[in-house]
Every structure is written in structure tokens, then in C-alpha cells.
Amino acid sequence: MDSFISTFHIDLKIIIAQAINFGIVFAVLYFLALKPLKKIMAERTGIIEKGIADAKENAALVANTQKEYEATISKAREEAHAIFQAGKADAEVRKAEMIRMAQDEVNRMVDQGKKNLEAEKIKMVDEAKKEIVSLVVSATEKLLADQADISTTEKTIKNIKKA
Amino acid sequence: MTENNTIKNPIANTEIAPVASTEITHESTLYAEPIGHVGSLTITNSLFTTWVVVFIVFVISIVIKFKSKLIPKGFQNFFEFIIEGAMDLADQVTGDKKITARVFPLAFTIFLFVLISNWLGLLPLGGFGLVEHGEEGLAFIPFIRSGTADINTTLALGLVAVIGSNVFGIVSIGLWKMFNKYVNLKALGEIFTKVKKDPTILISAPIMVFVGILELVGELAKVASLSFRLFGNVFAGEVLLMAMSSIFAYVLPLPFMGLELFVGAIQAFIFAVLTLVYFTIAAQDHDHEEGHEEHKGEHMHA
């Protein structure tokens, strides 16, 4: 054993010194390099995992929004269609009413026109009658001025007036 | 070495042909050469190299500590790549992420410490050293000798690994179980409690006690195997390089330098992996496993 120790120069102090050196290396490496690096790596992994989770959540949100959008659009289309149909029906009703009102107005105007025409006609006939009577009287007076006596003439005039 | 016709047997450290000369000689010795003293502590060139290792690791650690960012670049990227790869490898060795998380820092430190020590010894710093008057004239003593080319360093590392694994075992499975692993009092006690039920225990219990003693011897063997394997490989590499240099300096050693770089990395890797294995074995509760096996057997019978 002694020859072994002397051959290899085994020295307990150097062994302890080397063990202390190793301990220093371990402490330095652990506290200054491995621990902070592990922390940073864990932090990064956390951020990446959160990013992936957020991306998945966002994708789900987008899909959900798309569904909602499509549902809203579909509902809006249905509502628009219903409104259009209601408007169309309402317009039809109004159209019919307006046509009827216009028809009535036209009828009323036609009636009024007819009445006016009739009144005008009567008035014209009356006037024509008066004019004819006057003309007949004048003509008769001229014709019979010399031939007929006044009484006959008066009788004739009265008959004409009665007629 | 043969720089001045002096030939020395590096293994036995005996002079074959002593020649009085004023030329500077450099011999590859089995032990690290002293380059100074601090009190009663002899500072060897291998101890000095280890301090250089401490300094290098300190600088690397400081750079990582203060330059690390969330988005890695350059050196941080490389270091993270190494650490992640090493963690995956350690996971494969231990088979348990919890054990890996606890043991990895020590195993990685061993790897880095041994690797840098091994590679520092390969640095071509021929003129960086002391010239001293020796028994055979002037002798050159280099400041840099691979830290692991000194048995004191490898012994220290082996002791750290083996003692560390036992401490880890105590922390993991308890002091009583670890104690019984080496001094199997439990098996001895079972002789008295189970002898009526199972008389074969009279044979099996002493065997278990002997196995415990073998385990204890095995722990010493672990220290020896770890330290001598590393020392032997690195020292042999240095001797090989010196031999090649003496045949054809500057050119012939080059391929062997490449080989030694590889050997240095492999030896660091082996030391670290064996440390991981020892820690993993120490953290396993054999009684618990045996209990499981018995339960399985009972279930099978049922």
C-alpha cells in the first residue's frame, strides 16, 4: 500500500483540494449557469405553451365567430326576406287601394263631366230654344207683318210658346 | 523522455541510464509535478490546471448568467442545445425524470470538469512551465498537466461520485435501508423470526449478509474503477503523444491529438454516465421491488 501511495504520489491534501475545486465548479455552474438557464428555458416553454394554447383558443374563437356570423347572416337574410315579402304584400294592398281610389276619382270626374255636359246641354238647348223662338218670332213677324192681323199673330205666337 | 540521452521508466520511475548533463529534460511521470507550496499543501501542475478549469467554468457561467435572454442567440443557443441533449440522455439512463432533475447538475458538472481537464492537458503549451535543478540536471516542469492525469484528482472525483450516490440513496430511500444494504441486520433478524416458518432462511440469511459485505467492497471498487480508468486513459494519452513527438515532432502527434480529443470526451462522458447509473441504483428500494414481486406472485397464484 505504501509503495502504491508513493508511486502515484497520493496525497490526501491534494485529494481534498481537488474535491473542493470540484465543489466550487459545481456550485458556480449550478447557481450561475444551470439554474438561471433552467429558469429561462422553463419560462420560454411556458410562453410557447401559452402561445399554443392561445392560438388554439383563438382558432376556436374564430370558428365560433364564423358560425355566429353565418347564423346572423342567415337570420338577417330570413328577416330581410320576410320584410320584403311583407312590404310586397303591403305594396300590393296599397297598389290595389290606389287603383281603386284612382278608379273612383276617374268615375267621379267622369260623372261630374257627364253632369256638367248634361247641364251645359240643357243650358244650350234652352238657349237654342230661346234663340229659335226669338228667330221664329222674328221671322214670323217679318213674314206675317203685312198679311196677318195682329190678333192672329198673337194667337200664333201663343201657340208657338205653348208648343 | 530522451532529450539528453536520459531515459526514465515512467511506470517504475527508475533511471535506466543516468547521464550528467546541463540540458533541460522533461519526463512524463506517473504523478503530477510540484510547482510550488502554500503552507503544507503542495501545488502540483495538475492542481494548477484544475484551478484553470475552475476559472474557465466561472467565466462560462458568468457569461451565461448575464447574457442569457429569453430568445437565445449564439453561445446561449449552443449551451442550451448541449444541456437539452444531455438531459434527454440522462433521462434514458435513469428512466425517471425526477431522479434526472436531481442528479443531472452533478453529472453535467463532472462531465464538464473532466472534459475541460482532459482537453487542457492537450494544449501545446510546451514552454509554459518551470526549469528546476533535479537529481539529473535541469528539468522542465510544465504548469499545465491534465487535471485527470493525476490520480489524486480522479480519486477525488470518484469519491465525490460514490459518496454522493450513497448520500443520495439515504435521502431517497432512507438511512436504515441504505445501512441494511451493506450491513444486512434485517436478514440476520429474520433468522430468528422466520426460522420456524421457513428453515431455508438459515442458509439464505448468511448469504444476504455476505452479499451486503460484497456491496461494501463494490463501493470501494467503484471508486477504484472510476478513478483508475480515467487516470489510465488520460495518462496513457499523454505518454502516447510524447512518444509520437519524440519520433516525429509536430507532425506525427497531430492525428493522435485528434484521437486524444475524442478519448477525452468519451472518458468524460463515461464518468458522467456511470455517476448517473450509481445514483439511480442508490435511489432504488430493493425491498419495495421485492415486495412488489411477491405481491405479483401471490396474484398469479390467486
Side-chain angles (χ1 to χ4, degrees):
Chain A
M1 191 69 183
D2 285 342
S3 69
F4 171 75
I5 291 169
S6 63
T7 304
F8 288 99
H9 282 223
I10 292 171
D11 186 345
L12 187 65
K13 285 177 187 168
I14 294 177
I15 291 173
I16 292 167
Q18 294 287 28
I20 290 168
N21 281 342
F22 177 77
I24 294 167
V25 168
F26 175 71
V28 165
L29 198 66
Y30 182 69
F31 289 107
L32 293 181
L34 293 177
K35 212 176 169 183
L37 214 56
K38 202 178 166 186
K39 195 181 164 192
I40 285 175
M41 285 161 83
E43 199 179 331
R44 190 188 305 136
T45 307
I47 289 169
I48 291 167
E49 279 173 358
K50 192 179 175 293
I52 291 168
D54 284 352
K56 278 182 184 170
E57 202 176 303
N58 285 345
L61 202 67
V62 166
N64 204 27
T65 310
Q66 185 71 23
K67 275 182 187 173
E68 277 179 12
Y69 163 78
E70 279 167 8
T72 309
I73 289 288
S74 171
K75 199 181 168 189
R77 274 186 188 147
E78 281 171 12
E79 279 179 4
H81 186 69
I83 289 166
F84 175 73
Q85 291 300 331
K88 201 176 168 184
D90 194 38
E92 287 292 326
V93 170
R94 285 185 182 214
K95 185 184 163 188
E97 195 176 342
M98 282 172 79
I99 288 169
R100 189 184 53 76
M101 281 170 74
Q103 196 69 45
D104 289 351
E105 187 70 21
V106 167
N107 289 340
R108 195 184 57 76
M109 283 170 76
V110 168
D111 288 348
Q112 189 67 38
K114 276 180 180 174
K115 279 177 186 173
N116 289 346
L117 266 171
E118 198 65 32
E120 200 70 25
K121 187 182 163 188
I122 291 164
K123 194 180 167 185
M124 280 174 73
V125 168
D126 282 349
E127 280 177 1
K129 274 180 179 176
K130 281 178 185 171
E131 195 72 26
I132 289 164
V133 168
S134 159
L135 279 171
V136 169
V137 169
S138 298
T140 307
E141 276 178 352
K142 275 183 181 177
L143 284 170
L144 298 175
D146 297 330
Q147 295 170 10
D149 60 345
I150 294 166
S151 62
T152 310
T153 305
E154 278 176 355
K155 273 183 181 177
T156 307
I157 289 167
K158 278 179 185 175
N159 288 333
I160 290 166
K161 274 182 182 178
K162 276 177 185 175
Chain B
M1 280 302 298
T2 56
E3 284 182 28
N4 65 339
N5 301 330
T6 305
I7 301 166
K8 210 164 188 188
N9 181 348
I11 307 299
N13 198 23
T14 55
E15 196 177 277
I16 295 168
V19 178
S21 170
T22 53
E23 281 184 40
I24 300 167
T25 59
H26 176 223
E27 289 134 15
S28 189
T29 53
L30 262 177
Y31 50 85
E33 296 105 316
I35 54 171
H37 293 274
V38 175
S40 61
L41 177 69
T42 307
I43 309 298
T44 61
N45 46 10
S46 142
L47 187 63
F48 177 74
T49 308
T50 313
W51 288 343
V52 176
V53 174
V54 173
F55 177 74
I56 290 169
V57 171
F58 183 75
V59 170
I60 291 171
S61 303
I62 286 287
V63 169
I64 289 168
K65 168 83 178 167
F66 294 104
K67 295 276 180 185
S68 291
K69 286 172 186 166
L70 210 57
I71 300 164
K73 272 184 187 175
F75 180 67
Q76 188 191 345
N77 232 342
F78 172 74
F79 202 76
E80 282 189 15
F81 167 74
I82 296 286
I83 284 186
E84 274 184 342
M87 280 276 264
D88 287 344
L89 197 73
D91 264 342
Q92 287 173 22
V93 174
T94 60
D96 187 340
K97 281 194 182 297
K98 282 181 186 172
I99 292 176
T100 307
R102 290 163 76 186
V103 183
F104 178 75
L106 185 83
F108 187 72
T109 308
I110 286 175
F111 175 76
L112 208 63
F113 186 86
V114 174
L115 184 76
I116 298 172
S117 289
N118 290 348
W119 284 357
L120 273 179
L122 298 174
L123 281 178
L125 297 171
F128 186 53
L130 293 172
V131 177
E132 283 192 347
H133 287 280
E135 289 170 5
E136 301 134 25
L138 294 172
F140 176 71
I141 300 167
F143 282 138
I144 297 291
R145 176 193 172 108
S146 178
T148 44
D150 177 14
I151 193 72
N152 292 306
T153 315
T154 58
L155 264 176
L157 288 172
L159 284 168
V160 166
V162 173
I163 294 170
S165 71
N166 281 284
V167 171
F168 187 69
I170 292 168
V171 173
S172 301
I173 62 170
L175 180 63
W176 175 246
K177 281 179 180 170
M178 276 303 282
F179 180 74
N180 269 285
K181 198 173 152 187
Y182 303 122
V183 185
N184 209 332
L185 293 177
K186 194 181 167 191
L188 280 174
E190 281 174 351
I191 293 174
F192 305 104
T193 55
K194 291 185 178 173
V195 70
K196 283 182 182 173
K197 197 177 172 185
D198 182 15
T200 55
I201 203 154
L202 284 168
I203 300 163
S204 66
I207 291 171
M208 293 301 285
V209 173
F210 184 68
V211 168
I213 295 163
L214 282 181
E215 287 273 0
L216 199 62
V217 175
E219 292 302 299
L220 297 173
K222 279 180 190 173
V223 178
S225 79
L226 279 175
S227 51
F228 279 95
R229 183 191 301 110
L230 183 58
F231 167 72
N233 275 286
V234 177
F235 180 70
E238 287 196 354
V239 171
L240 178 71
L241 284 177
M242 290 195 100
M244 291 303 125
S245 296
S246 65
I247 295 169
F248 190 177
Y250 305 114
V251 178
L252 198 55
L254 278 176
F256 291 95
M257 285 276 255
L259 180 74
E260 284 312 309
L261 282 171
F262 178 70
V263 168
I266 287 292
Q267 287 305 317
F269 175 74
I270 289 170
F271 204 110
V273 168
L274 283 174
T275 307
L276 271 175
V277 171
Y278 295 156
F279 272 72
T280 310
I281 292 169
Q284 279 163 0
D285 185 357
H286 294 293
D287 287 352
H288 191 66
E289 281 171 15
E290 279 166 18
H292 268 290
E293 293 286 321
E294 280 171 19
H295 271 290
K296 271 187 191 172
E298 282 166 15
H299 276 290
M300 291 285 276
H301 276 292

